Amino acid sequence: MTTSASVPAGPEGAISAGETVTDRLVEANERYAAAFTDPGMDARPVLQVAVVACMDARLDLHDALGLELGDCHTIRNAGGVVTDDVIRSLTISQRALGTRSVVLIHHTGCGLESLTEDFRHDLEMEVGQRPAWAVEAFRDVDQDVRQSMQRVRTSPFLLHSDNVRGFVFDVKTGLLREIDPA
């Protein structure tokens, strides 16, 4: 696995003058597409599972969970929070694309642990408009996983709310710790 921390600092890995990170990503895609062959799969995940996780760049979900392309639906946002939009995605995942299980993954050292809802107020003062969304900051990651599990389990839109499990990923060890929903 290559991370930004391990990208070579020399000329080979450096972004040249006038080049952006997006340019680098597009170039990487061109190399990828040159060797790409259609895997012949559809949008239905083979394992019938949807994973909701934090967007933190330290979480390589496919490697951490032993997943391959086509195994799952992956839904990510700041904190791995179960928002209305996550419920929308899970509803489509279940009702239109056949998933039956939901795995929720938060992690240690999450940036949302250091924010408060004051973030919204500060943003409103800066741009002149209050965001319609909540920050969903938290202090106790275990309790936030429990809250997320409860939101999934009580959604009237989801067909399958009996197989919902929540975990905390330790960014130092790479291990998952399951959270008791009680």
Side-chain angles (χ1 to χ4, degrees):
M1 175 177 82
T2 302
T3 65
S4 58
S6 64
V7 171
E12 180 182 315
I15 296 175
S16 60
E19 184 183 36
T20 67
V21 171
T22 304
D23 293 331
R24 180 184 282 179
L25 298 176
V26 170
E27 290 168 10
N29 174 256
E30 290 168 357
R31 290 187 299 277
Y32 171 80
F36 183 80
T37 55
D38 180 359
M41 54 180 70
D42 67 16
R44 294 176 177 272
V46 173
L47 299 179
Q48 297 181 317
V49 64
V51 178
V52 179
C54 185
M55 66 185 191
D56 191 295
R58 296 173 290 181
L59 278 67
D60 184 344
L61 292 175
H62 276 75
D63 272 357
L65 301 175
L67 297 168
E68 300 293 331
L69 181 67
D71 281 349
C72 74
H73 284 159
T74 305
I75 304 162
R76 295 181 80 156
N77 66 24
V81 175
V82 176
T83 62
D84 287 345
D85 193 59
V86 167
I87 294 295
R88 178 188 71 89
S89 294
L90 287 172
T91 301
I92 293 167
S93 179
Q94 288 189 357
R95 291 179 176 266
L97 298 166
T99 60
R100 302 183 63 80
S101 301
V102 177
V103 173
L104 305 169
I105 301 178
H106 288 36
H107 65 92
T108 58
C110 185
L112 285 185
E113 291 175 297
S114 62
L115 291 178
T116 67
E117 290 298 320
D118 288 340
F119 182 84
R120 290 176 70 216
H121 174 73
D122 296 345
L123 194 54
E124 177 183 14
M125 303 296 14
E126 180 183 328
V127 302
Q129 181 178 342
R130 186 166 185 85
W133 38 264
V135 174
E136 298 275 358
F138 57 88
R139 294 281 179 257
D140 181 338
V141 68
D142 291 18
Q143 182 55 34
D144 201 61
V145 171
R146 283 187 200 94
Q147 176 178 293
S148 292
M149 285 190 282
Q150 185 65 16
R151 286 178 178 173
V152 172
R153 287 188 171 129
T154 59
S155 173
F157 306 110
L158 299 175
L159 294 172
H160 308 287
S161 58
D162 54 326
N163 191 0
V164 179
R165 293 173 65 185
F167 300 85
V168 174
F169 177 86
D170 187 314
V171 298
K172 300 287 187 201
T173 67
L175 289 172
L176 290 175
R177 178 174 50 82
E178 189 158 9
I179 301 302
D180 183 352

